[in-house]
Amino acid sequence: MSRSSGKLNIIDQNTYQDLKHEHKDSAPRILRSSKYKNKHKKEQQCSLFDFLIVPRKKQKHINRKKRPNLIIARNSLAFHPKRKGKTRLNPKHRVTRLKRIIRSFRQLKLRSTQDENVVETVEQTCGSHSEQLPAKMEIRSTDPELDCVRQEQTINHLSPAHQLHSRRFRSYCDNCTTKSLKELTTQLLSDLERFQKRAYSNNEIKARAHPRLVVGFREALSRLRINKVKLLILAPDCEACSGEGGLDDTIEELKSVCQQQEVPYCFSLMRRELAYALRKRAQISCVAVLDFDGANETYKQLLHELNEARVLYKELTAS
């Protein structure tokens, strides 16, 4: 109940009309604000709709802690993004320059073996006739490229370490393949491959930017030119392929670059053993280690064993 009484505000109707008529022109009209109107507004009666509770719409729960790139990286095996650029119905398989040289060298070797078979059949048919001997020499000296292939096949037999070198241990090797060296190399590669897979599962973008190791002659040579390689592992049973740009030429180039930059390189595991250590199906001829953090002890032991294997190789080839 208000403190001020309403009895004092009661006046006569005639006096109210007179006051209204007098103050109509003289007194200015008082403008009432919205605050005043709301204050003296009549209270509205409540209804049942005021007590009605309307349920809110359910919103999707978004976890802001998870990043979209991490979700894609974890499901990278199942997620196949759309490839940019044109797509062909019959895609062209690109063949590298080194692969083309190897294929041409294989064809030359096949031709040389076929010519040798022809010569053997001629010798058997001719018997002891001396008139057919010049014809055999003409068949062998028809193609100069075939003569180069035959000369390289005879070099291995004329080398001083022909008893040590073979198809499984080529003449470009500088160290012996001991059992402990093989075990250390396998352990180092398996550890680095495990670290690299773990990095790919956490963040694929960072793992691609900072790889632990790379596979192949081209990748190894490109990383060597920018001084990123800490250790180079080559297979001792690479296919014989001479000529400019061939396998033998690339291996010699890798060895010369490693010697200039003082990068250690070793011939420890065969191609199949390298693939087994890295859990690959295809045979691997070259592996370049870029970061051995986490396997420092194995790396030190491998370098120590590599020096001993090189000393042993020099002792065997010196005699």
Side-chain angles (χ1 to χ4, degrees):
M1 189 172 176
S2 61
R3 294 179 182 178
S4 61
S5 177
K7 294 179 181 179
L8 300 175
N9 296 330
I10 297 171
I11 57 174
D12 189 13
Q13 183 71 23
N14 295 327
T15 55
Y16 175 72
Q17 292 293 336
D18 294 339
L19 290 170
K20 188 177 180 181
H21 184 69
E22 287 176 3
H23 295 284
K24 187 174 182 181
D25 298 329
S26 60
R29 188 178 179 183
I30 299 171
L31 298 174
R32 304 294 183 184
S33 63
S34 60
K35 184 178 180 180
Y36 181 83
K37 289 179 182 178
N38 292 332
K39 185 178 179 181
H40 297 279
K41 195 175 182 181
K42 292 183 179 180
E43 295 182 359
Q44 295 180 357
Q45 293 182 356
C46 61
S47 62
L48 293 174
F49 290 103
D50 297 335
F51 300 97
L52 184 64
I53 299 172
V54 180
R56 296 176 63 184
K57 293 182 179 179
K58 292 183 179 180
Q59 296 180 353
K60 292 182 179 179
H61 181 68
I62 300 171
N63 193 357
R64 295 180 180 178
K65 293 182 180 180
K66 290 184 177 180
R67 296 178 182 176
N69 58 350
L70 296 180
I71 296 167
I72 293 169
R74 285 169 188 158
N75 301 327
S76 59
L77 297 174
F79 180 73
H80 299 286
K82 189 176 180 182
R83 188 175 178 182
K84 295 182 180 180
K86 65 175 73 172
T87 55
R88 300 178 185 271
L89 295 174
N90 299 318
K92 297 179 180 179
H93 297 285
R94 294 184 63 183
V95 182
T96 59
R97 180 172 174 269
L98 182 60
K99 189 67 176 178
R100 288 197 299 268
I101 294 169
I102 292 169
R103 286 179 179 177
S104 62
F105 192 80
R106 285 173 183 171
Q107 291 177 358
L108 285 173
K109 287 170 70 176
L110 183 63
R111 286 169 55 188
S112 66
T113 53
Q114 288 176 356
D115 291 346
E116 287 177 359
N117 293 332
V118 169
V119 171
E120 288 177 359
T121 53
V122 169
E123 288 178 352
Q124 290 175 2
T125 53
C126 294
S128 60
H129 296 286
S130 60
E131 295 178 356
Q132 301 294 333
L133 291 176
K136 290 188 291 182
M137 300 301 293
E138 289 176 1
I139 292 171
R140 292 197 176 190
S141 61
T142 51
D143 196 348
E145 294 180 352
L146 294 177
D147 294 337
C148 295
V149 173
R150 293 192 188 95
Q151 288 176 5
E152 288 169 1
Q153 291 175 356
T154 57
I155 284 171
N156 295 329
H157 299 285
L158 298 174
S159 61
H162 66 277
Q163 295 179 355
L164 182 64
H165 295 146
S166 62
R167 186 177 60 85
R168 296 172 62 84
F169 189 77
R170 295 281 310 285
S171 59
Y172 57 77
C173 299
D174 295 340
N175 60 274
C176 295
T177 55
T178 59
K179 184 179 179 181
S180 57
L181 185 63
K182 284 187 175 184
E183 290 176 356
L184 290 170
T185 308
T186 305
Q187 184 181 354
L188 179 67
L189 291 177
S190 60
D191 290 345
L192 294 179
E193 180 67 16
R194 181 165 50 86
F195 296 155
Q196 187 158 309
K197 282 186 177 180
R198 185 177 63 185
Y200 266 78
S201 63
N202 292 333
N203 193 340
E204 189 175 356
I205 298 170
K206 287 185 179 179
R208 286 184 181 277
H210 305 284
R212 290 298 191 100
L213 50 89
V214 290
V215 177
F217 287 109
R218 185 177 61 181
E219 293 291 332
L221 191 59
S222 63
R223 296 306 198 287
L224 271 171
R225 286 168 180 165
I226 58 175
N227 299 322
K228 292 289 184 179
V229 180
K230 303 296 187 297
L231 175 66
L232 188 68
I233 301 170
L234 295 165
D237 62 337
C238 290
E239 185 180 354
C241 179
S242 62
E244 188 178 357
L247 267 177
D248 297 343
D249 195 5
T250 53
I251 291 170
E252 291 297 330
E253 184 180 0
L254 284 169
K255 287 171 62 178
S256 64
V257 174
C258 288
Q259 289 169 2
Q260 290 173 5
Q261 298 180 3
E262 297 181 356
V263 176
Y265 61 92
C266 67
F267 305 92
S268 55
L269 297 177
M270 305 289 181
R271 287 181 292 174
R272 286 190 179 277
E273 291 172 348
L274 281 172
Y276 182 77
L278 295 174
R279 298 176 181 85
K280 304 285 185 183
R281 290 185 179 180
Q283 295 181 356
I284 297 172
S285 300
C286 179
V287 179
V289 177
L290 308 180
D291 185 11
F292 55 86
D293 192 14
N296 298 326
E297 289 296 327
T298 310
Y299 179 76
K300 290 178 182 178
Q301 293 175 9
L302 191 146
L303 292 182
H304 178 69
E305 193 64 31
L306 178 61
N307 293 330
E308 293 181 357
R310 281 181 178 167
V311 171
L312 180 62
Y313 177 81
K314 289 179 181 178
E315 291 176 359
L316 292 173
T317 54
S319 57

